Amino acid sequence: MQDTLKIAAIQADLAWENPEANRSYFDQKISEIGGVDLIVLPEMFATGFSMNPKGIADTGDMVAWMKATAKAKQAALAGSLMIQEHDNYYNRFYFITPDGNSTTYDKRHTFTLAGEHKVYKRGEKPVIATYKGFKFLLQVCYDLRFPVFARNTSNYDVMLYVANWPKKRVFAWDTLLKARAIENMSYCIGVNRVGLDGGNYEYNGYSGIYDSLGATLAFAEAEEKTIYATLSKAHLEETRNQLNFLADQDAFELK
């Protein structure tokens, strides 16, 4: 366990439905990063947010790349992939540590507006990844709109959202990331993409890292950029002890 955790988040222009090109892109971007504990990539970082997983969904190669990269960089690597298991597809978030340990979360709130629910099987429960004494709640894109699912009843330290969130609704993305940080007294990291996808949707980033009061620690506008921040366990606990808002939250069951 350590008191601080150094974060790098890569806001990328993803190649459409091209895992090989994206792997090469991230090899270069990650090679430029040094001295961090965790590197975060966007949602479906190998393909973009595609509803055409047949023939391009990962069956193990990209996961193996993530494990090899985490080991080589001695940093955890996080991001979501389209995954094929037998005849089913998933939008699956991987949090992989340098020792090869993998925590996975299948996106709960599939994006019905794009028909994601017709292609990908959804997850059922929130998932917490633990790394170097910090507890991370893993979330994917559309999950951000559903605060009950993310409420901090597990005493997590960091909310981690990866996304392909389009420009036309980026104000909601920017606002809700801060709201989730504030209402859960947690660090909140949101990693989006930039550029155009194969459906001609435009993305303008606004990736950000926020503290437990919603203050901005790092931010990227509409450009390819890697942002950095250092999280402090002691500062988080001090803030929670002083304000103790979580002790007053309502109790109920999620069904």
Side-chain angles (χ1 to χ4, degrees), residues 107 109-112 116 140-146 165:
K107 186 179 182 180
H109 299 95
T110 48
F111 190 46
T112 55
E116 187 181 12
V140 180
C141 202
Y142 194 39
D143 287 329
L144 181 61
R145 287 188 178 271
F146 302 93
W165 196 290

Side-chain angles (χ1 to χ4, degrees), residues 31-92:
S31 73
E32 298 168 359
I33 297 171
V36 301
D37 301 295
L38 170 62
I39 301 168
V40 189
L41 313 181
E43 177 186 20
M44 287 194 182
F45 68 83
T47 56
F49 187 61
S50 169
M51 298 300 107
N52 304 305
K54 187 175 182 179
I56 59 171
D58 191 57
T59 57
D61 288 349
M62 288 300 295
V63 174
W65 172 83
M66 289 184 75
K67 290 183 177 181
T69 302
K71 182 178 180 180
K73 294 296 291 186
Q74 283 300 291
L77 191 61
S80 96
L81 295 164
M82 58 166 68
I83 295 292
Q84 180 177 359
E85 286 186 349
H86 306 294
D87 294 327
N88 294 318
Y89 298 103
Y90 302 86
N91 185 347
R92 182 167 293 168

Side-chain angles (χ1 to χ4, degrees), residues 1-222:
M1 179 174 173
Q2 60 188 53
D3 175 60
T4 60
L5 201 74
K6 295 181 179 180
I7 309 293
I10 303 176
Q11 181 167 280
D13 186 353
L14 303 177
W16 184 246
E17 297 182 349
N18 192 333
E20 185 174 336
N22 286 309
R23 183 169 55 215
S24 178
Y25 173 92
F26 284 112
D27 274 335
Q28 176 60 40
K29 292 294 183 181
I30 291 170
S31 73
E32 298 168 359
I33 297 171
V36 301
D37 301 295
L38 170 62
I39 301 168
V40 189
L41 313 181
E43 177 186 20
M44 287 194 182
F45 68 83
T47 56
F49 187 61
S50 169
M51 298 300 107
N52 304 305
K54 187 175 182 179
I56 59 171
D58 191 57
T59 57
D61 288 349
M62 288 300 295
V63 174
W65 172 83
M66 289 184 75
K67 290 183 177 181
T69 302
K71 182 178 180 180
K73 294 296 291 186
Q74 283 300 291
L77 191 61
S80 96
L81 295 164
M82 58 166 68
I83 295 292
Q84 180 177 359
E85 286 186 349
H86 306 294
D87 294 327
N88 294 318
Y89 298 103
Y90 302 86
N91 185 347
R92 182 167 293 168
F93 194 148
Y94 283 84
F95 189 107
I96 298 177
T97 57
D99 62 4
N101 180 61
S102 178
T103 302
T104 62
Y105 160 69
D106 292 332
K107 186 179 182 180
R108 161 79 170 188
H109 299 95
T110 48
F111 190 46
T112 55
L113 190 62
E116 187 181 12
H117 63 300
K118 298 177 181 179
V119 181
Y120 300 94
K121 290 181 67 68
R122 74 174 194 169
E124 295 299 328
K125 297 180 180 180
V127 172
I128 302 289
T130 302
Y131 176 57
K132 293 193 173 182
F134 285 74
K135 294 169 69 176
F136 294 82
L137 177 70
L138 308 184
Q139 300 275 273
V140 180
C141 202
Y142 194 39
D143 287 329
L144 181 61
R145 287 188 178 271
F146 302 93
V148 171
F149 188 68
R151 63 194 302 269
N152 196 357
T153 59
S154 302
N155 196 35
Y156 59 72
D157 307 298
V158 187
M159 313 178 79
L160 191 50
Y161 287 92
V162 296
N164 278 204
W165 196 290
K167 179 180 179 179
K168 64 174 64 177
R169 295 186 293 277
V170 79
F171 180 74
W173 160 261
D174 190 43
T175 302
L176 292 175
L177 286 173
K178 297 168 189 174
R180 294 296 88 83
I182 293 165
E183 69 196 8
N184 292 291
M185 295 207 76
S186 167
Y187 287 107
C188 187
I189 301 171
V191 185
N192 196 18
R193 63 160 295 178
V194 294
L196 290 173
D197 70 12
N200 209 35
Y201 286 97
E202 184 179 2
Y203 302 86
N204 67 333
Y206 279 48
S207 298
I209 302 175
Y210 306 96
D211 74 8
S212 58
L213 297 179
T216 302
L217 303 180
F219 183 76
E221 295 187 357

Side-chain angles (χ1 to χ4, degrees), residues 243-254:
L243 300 174
N244 203 26
F245 296 145
L246 293 178
D248 298 323
Q249 64 183 334
D250 300 307
F252 55 89
E253 290 187 13
L254 177 67

